[in-house]
Amino acid sequence: MTSLTTENSAAELVLDVEGLSLRFGTTQIFKNLSFRLSRGASLAVVGPNGAGKTLLFRALIGAIPIEGTIRWAPGVRIGYVPQKLDIDRDVPITGADFLRANVKAGGISDARASDALRAVGLSMAVARQPIGSLSGGQFQRLLMAFALSGDPNVLLLDEPTAGVDEGGQEQLNELVHRLQQARGLTLLLISHDLSVVYRYATSVLCLSRNQVCFGPPRTVLTPDLLQEMYGSPMAFHVHDH
């Protein structure tokens, strides 16, 4: 593994991953992965398809067996927005019904659920529509509201703009950034949009089958390193702040 820098050791650690190895069947996904994340930081996980980004998230929430150590700080509450949800969009339930299921299962108040909807910019009129009629962007906002209703202080987002049009992607990226700033969230984000990663992430974890690289965007997202990790040239636009 290549570690170009570490999170500020003086800052309060929220996550400490040490010697993490993961297999899928007989295939070694990654080996001896170590990194630390400070509270309030924004970590972007990037890399080619099949490198194990989603599997890493599943490991972090304890959904799959691992080798190594994952230490979350005491008091961490995790909200997770998966890339894909195992739910048929044709099921005759509304967005409000979907959110209400979390209220009942998690003992969450109606007020907190309503606050989550407001936080992601979804009106109750939209939430009362069948989930199958929601646009891609509206459905992703609903998933974010579902995760936020549990009052997390750590948010894991697995490609939250997948299946959303370009204008909607920009709005969602800005929404995620605003939510992090307003709620003091520690953010872990899987993304293929290197421009967004460069603009918003404080650290980048790049996974590939050959190596792993961790550091700040300016040192990880270089042409040489990206070509080495992806196996082909990768170009992206750096937005002005």
Side-chain angles (χ1 to χ4, degrees):
M1 172 180 172
T2 302
S3 181
L4 300 174
T5 189
T6 59
E7 290 285 339
N8 184 357
S9 58
E12 183 183 1
L13 284 182
V14 69
L15 174 63
D16 186 1
V17 176
E18 185 175 356
L20 179 62
S21 297
L22 187 61
R23 287 182 175 273
F24 193 72
T26 59
T27 303
Q28 184 84 54
I29 306 300
F30 48 75
K31 187 176 182 179
N32 198 31
L33 171 63
S34 299
F35 65 93
R36 291 179 170 184
L37 194 62
S38 300
R39 193 173 301 277
S42 178
L43 173 67
V45 183
V46 304
N49 291 329
K53 299 183 294 295
T54 295
L55 289 174
L56 172 61
F57 270 24
R58 295 186 63 196
L60 292 177
I61 64 174
I64 55 177
I66 63 163
E67 298 175 7
T69 305
I70 296 174
R71 300 185 186 92
W72 289 102
V76 160
R77 301 181 303 278
I78 299 174
Y80 178 44
V81 179
Q83 180 183 2
K84 296 179 181 179
L85 194 65
D86 292 330
I87 182 172
D88 189 345
R89 292 284 297 274
D90 292 329
V91 172
I93 64 171
T94 66
D97 292 334
F98 178 75
L99 197 58
R100 197 172 294 118
N102 197 29
V103 169
K104 293 181 179 179
I108 298 166
S109 68
D110 288 334
R112 185 178 292 174
S114 297
D115 177 67
L117 283 175
R118 286 193 295 270
V120 300
L122 274 186
S123 68
M124 187 53 67
V126 172
R128 291 194 180 103
Q129 296 178 19
I131 59 173
S133 69
L134 300 179
S135 68
Q138 288 172 333
F139 189 68
Q140 287 302 113
R141 288 172 186 261
L142 178 65
L143 294 182
M144 289 185 193
F146 189 92
L148 290 173
S149 63
D151 192 27
N153 48 27
V154 175
L155 191 60
L156 277 66
L157 301 169
D158 189 347
E159 296 190 44
T161 61
V164 179
D165 62 48
E166 186 174 350
Q169 289 180 19
E170 184 173 351
Q171 291 176 0
L172 283 173
N173 288 325
E174 291 174 353
L175 169 63
V176 170
H177 182 64
R178 289 198 306 271
L179 287 172
Q180 182 187 18
Q181 296 298 308
R183 296 178 176 236
L185 298 171
T186 303
L187 183 68
L188 291 84
L189 168 74
I190 295 174
S191 178
H192 287 288
D193 191 335
L194 299 181
S195 299
V196 170
V197 170
Y198 195 94
R199 184 176 185 180
Y200 292 123
T202 56
S203 295
V204 179
L205 176 64
C206 191
L207 299 178
S208 77
R209 290 298 176 88
N210 299 320
Q211 67 168 312
V212 174
C213 189
F214 176 76
R218 287 182 180 274
T219 53
V220 174
L221 302 181
T222 64
D224 290 343
L225 271 176
L226 289 174
Q227 180 162 355
E228 186 176 351
M229 302 295 284
Y230 283 85
S232 60
M234 298 292 294
F236 64 96
H237 175 67
V238 177
H239 296 277
D240 293 329
H241 287 268

mmCIF file of all heavy atoms in Angstrom, residues 85-103:
data_model
loop_
_atom_site.group_PDB
_atom_site.id
_atom_site.type_symbol
_atom_site.label_atom_id
_atom_site.label_comp_id
_atom_site.label_asym_id
_atom_site.label_seq_id
_atom_site.Cartn_x
_atom_site.Cartn_y
_atom_site.Cartn_z
ATOM 1 N N LEU A 85 -30.563 -0.558 -4.080
ATOM 2 C CA LEU A 85 -31.449 -0.993 -3.010
ATOM 3 C C LEU A 85 -32.289 -2.153 -3.520
ATOM 4 O O LEU A 85 -32.854 -2.089 -4.611
ATOM 5 C CB LEU A 85 -32.357 0.161 -2.573
ATOM 6 C CG LEU A 85 -33.104 -0.029 -1.262
ATOM 7 C CD1 LEU A 85 -32.125 -0.095 -0.094
ATOM 8 C CD2 LEU A 85 -34.086 1.115 -1.050
ATOM 9 N N ASP A 86 -32.340 -3.219 -2.725
ATOM 10 C CA ASP A 86 -33.099 -4.397 -3.129
ATOM 11 C C ASP A 86 -34.587 -4.175 -2.893
ATOM 12 O O ASP A 86 -35.214 -4.774 -2.010
ATOM 13 C CB ASP A 86 -32.619 -5.635 -2.354
ATOM 14 C CG ASP A 86 -31.216 -6.042 -2.742
ATOM 15 O OD1 ASP A 86 -30.834 -5.796 -3.901
ATOM 16 O OD2 ASP A 86 -30.505 -6.596 -1.891
ATOM 17 N N ILE A 87 -35.143 -3.275 -3.693
ATOM 18 C CA ILE A 87 -36.569 -3.003 -3.615
ATOM 19 C C ILE A 87 -37.087 -2.740 -5.017
ATOM 20 O O ILE A 87 -36.445 -2.028 -5.798
ATOM 21 C CB ILE A 87 -36.866 -1.797 -2.682
ATOM 22 C CG1 ILE A 87 -38.368 -1.553 -2.558
ATOM 23 C CG2 ILE A 87 -36.166 -0.548 -3.169
ATOM 24 C CD1 ILE A 87 -38.733 -0.512 -1.518
ATOM 25 N N ASP A 88 -38.198 -3.345 -5.336
ATOM 26 C CA ASP A 88 -38.812 -3.162 -6.648
ATOM 27 C C ASP A 88 -39.490 -1.800 -6.680
ATOM 28 O O ASP A 88 -40.368 -1.513 -5.856
ATOM 29 C CB ASP A 88 -39.828 -4.288 -6.888
ATOM 30 C CG ASP A 88 -40.362 -4.299 -8.320
ATOM 31 O OD1 ASP A 88 -40.179 -3.288 -9.038
ATOM 32 O OD2 ASP A 88 -40.964 -5.313 -8.711
ATOM 33 N N ARG A 89 -39.046 -0.960 -7.625
ATOM 34 C CA ARG A 89 -39.623 0.389 -7.708
ATOM 35 C C ARG A 89 -41.094 0.351 -8.081
ATOM 36 O O ARG A 89 -41.796 1.362 -7.970
ATOM 37 C CB ARG A 89 -38.845 1.224 -8.742
ATOM 38 C CG ARG A 89 -37.414 1.562 -8.351
ATOM 39 C CD ARG A 89 -37.361 2.670 -7.318
ATOM 40 N NE ARG A 89 -37.900 3.920 -7.815
ATOM 41 C CZ ARG A 89 -37.202 4.826 -8.492
ATOM 42 N NH1 ARG A 89 -35.941 4.599 -8.764
ATOM 43 N NH2 ARG A 89 -37.769 5.951 -8.893
ATOM 44 N N ASP A 90 -41.610 -0.803 -8.544
ATOM 45 C CA ASP A 90 -43.030 -0.922 -8.887
ATOM 46 C C ASP A 90 -43.890 -1.310 -7.688
ATOM 47 O O ASP A 90 -45.114 -1.401 -7.809
ATOM 48 C CB ASP A 90 -43.217 -1.958 -10.004
ATOM 49 C CG ASP A 90 -42.612 -1.483 -11.326
ATOM 50 O OD1 ASP A 90 -42.599 -0.258 -11.558
ATOM 51 O OD2 ASP A 90 -42.144 -2.332 -12.103
ATOM 52 N N VAL A 91 -43.258 -1.575 -6.546
ATOM 53 C CA VAL A 91 -44.027 -1.890 -5.337
ATOM 54 C C VAL A 91 -44.902 -0.683 -5.000
ATOM 55 O O VAL A 91 -44.420 0.458 -4.977
ATOM 56 C CB VAL A 91 -43.081 -2.215 -4.173
ATOM 57 C CG1 VAL A 91 -43.852 -2.342 -2.869
ATOM 58 C CG2 VAL A 91 -42.318 -3.496 -4.451
ATOM 59 N N PRO A 92 -46.194 -0.909 -4.741
ATOM 60 C CA PRO A 92 -47.110 0.224 -4.529
ATOM 61 C C PRO A 92 -46.979 0.845 -3.139
ATOM 62 O O PRO A 92 -47.893 0.773 -2.310
ATOM 63 C CB PRO A 92 -48.488 -0.414 -4.726
ATOM 64 C CG PRO A 92 -48.299 -1.838 -4.307
ATOM 65 C CD PRO A 92 -46.896 -2.206 -4.729
ATOM 66 N N ILE A 93 -45.834 1.455 -2.865
ATOM 67 C CA ILE A 93 -45.662 2.206 -1.627
ATOM 68 C C ILE A 93 -45.161 3.597 -1.978
ATOM 69 O O ILE A 93 -44.533 3.808 -3.009
ATOM 70 C CB ILE A 93 -44.672 1.520 -0.648
ATOM 71 C CG1 ILE A 93 -43.264 1.464 -1.250
ATOM 72 C CG2 ILE A 93 -45.155 0.147 -0.254
ATOM 73 C CD1 ILE A 93 -42.212 1.004 -0.268
ATOM 74 N N THR A 94 -45.446 4.526 -1.126
ATOM 75 C CA THR A 94 -45.008 5.896 -1.347
ATOM 76 C C THR A 94 -43.656 6.125 -0.658
ATOM 77 O O THR A 94 -43.209 5.310 0.157
ATOM 78 C CB THR A 94 -46.030 6.890 -0.787
ATOM 79 O OG1 THR A 94 -46.061 6.763 0.648
ATOM 80 C CG2 THR A 94 -47.416 6.624 -1.356
ATOM 81 N N GLY A 95 -43.047 7.258 -0.987
ATOM 82 C CA GLY A 95 -41.814 7.613 -0.304
ATOM 83 C C GLY A 95 -42.023 7.772 1.188
ATOM 84 O O GLY A 95 -41.172 7.382 1.995
ATOM 85 N N ALA A 96 -43.185 8.315 1.574
ATOM 86 C CA ALA A 96 -43.498 8.480 2.994
ATOM 87 C C ALA A 96 -43.631 7.119 3.680
ATOM 88 O O ALA A 96 -43.197 6.947 4.821
ATOM 89 C CB ALA A 96 -44.773 9.299 3.149
ATOM 90 N N ASP A 97 -44.245 6.154 2.984
ATOM 91 C CA ASP A 97 -44.355 4.797 3.534
ATOM 92 C C ASP A 97 -42.967 4.203 3.764
ATOM 93 O O ASP A 97 -42.710 3.561 4.785
ATOM 94 C CB ASP A 97 -45.125 3.886 2.575
ATOM 95 C CG ASP A 97 -46.590 4.260 2.439
ATOM 96 O OD1 ASP A 97 -47.135 4.851 3.398
ATOM 97 O OD2 ASP A 97 -47.177 3.979 1.381
ATOM 98 N N PHE A 98 -42.104 4.401 2.789
ATOM 99 C CA PHE A 98 -40.742 3.885 2.865
ATOM 100 C C PHE A 98 -40.018 4.465 4.077
ATOM 101 O O PHE A 98 -39.355 3.747 4.841
ATOM 102 C CB PHE A 98 -40.007 4.234 1.574
ATOM 103 C CG PHE A 98 -38.567 3.808 1.524
ATOM 104 C CD1 PHE A 98 -38.223 2.480 1.331
ATOM 105 C CD2 PHE A 98 -37.554 4.737 1.662
ATOM 106 C CE1 PHE A 98 -36.883 2.089 1.282
ATOM 107 C CE2 PHE A 98 -36.228 4.364 1.606
ATOM 108 C CZ PHE A 98 -35.889 3.033 1.424
ATOM 109 N N LEU A 99 -40.142 5.759 4.266
ATOM 110 C CA LEU A 99 -39.494 6.411 5.395
ATOM 111 C C LEU A 99 -40.144 6.010 6.716
ATOM 112 O O LEU A 99 -39.460 5.853 7.733
ATOM 113 C CB LEU A 99 -39.564 7.930 5.206
ATOM 114 C CG LEU A 99 -38.623 8.784 6.051
ATOM 115 C CD1 LEU A 99 -37.173 8.395 5.804
ATOM 116 C CD2 LEU A 99 -38.833 10.252 5.746
ATOM 117 N N ARG A 100 -41.467 5.818 6.695
ATOM 118 C CA ARG A 100 -42.182 5.438 7.912
ATOM 119 C C ARG A 100 -41.739 4.069 8.416
ATOM 120 O O ARG A 100 -41.748 3.803 9.617
ATOM 121 C CB ARG A 100 -43.688 5.444 7.646
ATOM 122 C CG ARG A 100 -44.546 5.458 8.910
ATOM 123 C CD ARG A 100 -46.011 5.663 8.566
ATOM 124 N NE ARG A 100 -46.240 6.983 8.000
ATOM 125 C CZ ARG A 100 -46.696 7.200 6.766
ATOM 126 N NH1 ARG A 100 -46.946 6.188 5.956
ATOM 127 N NH2 ARG A 100 -46.889 8.434 6.345
ATOM 128 N N ALA A 101 -41.323 3.195 7.492
ATOM 129 C CA ALA A 101 -40.838 1.876 7.902
ATOM 130 C C ALA A 101 -39.594 2.010 8.772
ATOM 131 O O ALA A 101 -39.407 1.261 9.731
ATOM 132 C CB ALA A 101 -40.521 1.029 6.670
ATOM 133 N N ASN A 102 -38.754 2.975 8.459
ATOM 134 C CA ASN A 102 -37.565 3.226 9.269
ATOM 135 C C ASN A 102 -37.940 3.816 10.616
ATOM 136 O O ASN A 102 -37.312 3.526 11.637
ATOM 137 C CB ASN A 102 -36.616 4.168 8.532
ATOM 138 C CG ASN A 102 -35.207 4.168 9.096
ATOM 139 O OD1 ASN A 102 -34.749 3.172 9.641
ATOM 140 N ND2 ASN A 102 -34.515 5.288 8.972
ATOM 141 N N VAL A 103 -38.986 4.623 10.617
ATOM 142 C CA VAL A 103 -39.462 5.219 11.859
ATOM 143 C C VAL A 103 -39.913 4.127 12.823
ATOM 144 O O VAL A 103 -39.567 4.126 14.007
ATOM 145 C CB VAL A 103 -40.618 6.210 11.586
ATOM 146 C CG1 VAL A 103 -41.287 6.636 12.882
ATOM 147 C CG2 VAL A 103 -40.107 7.423 10.816
#
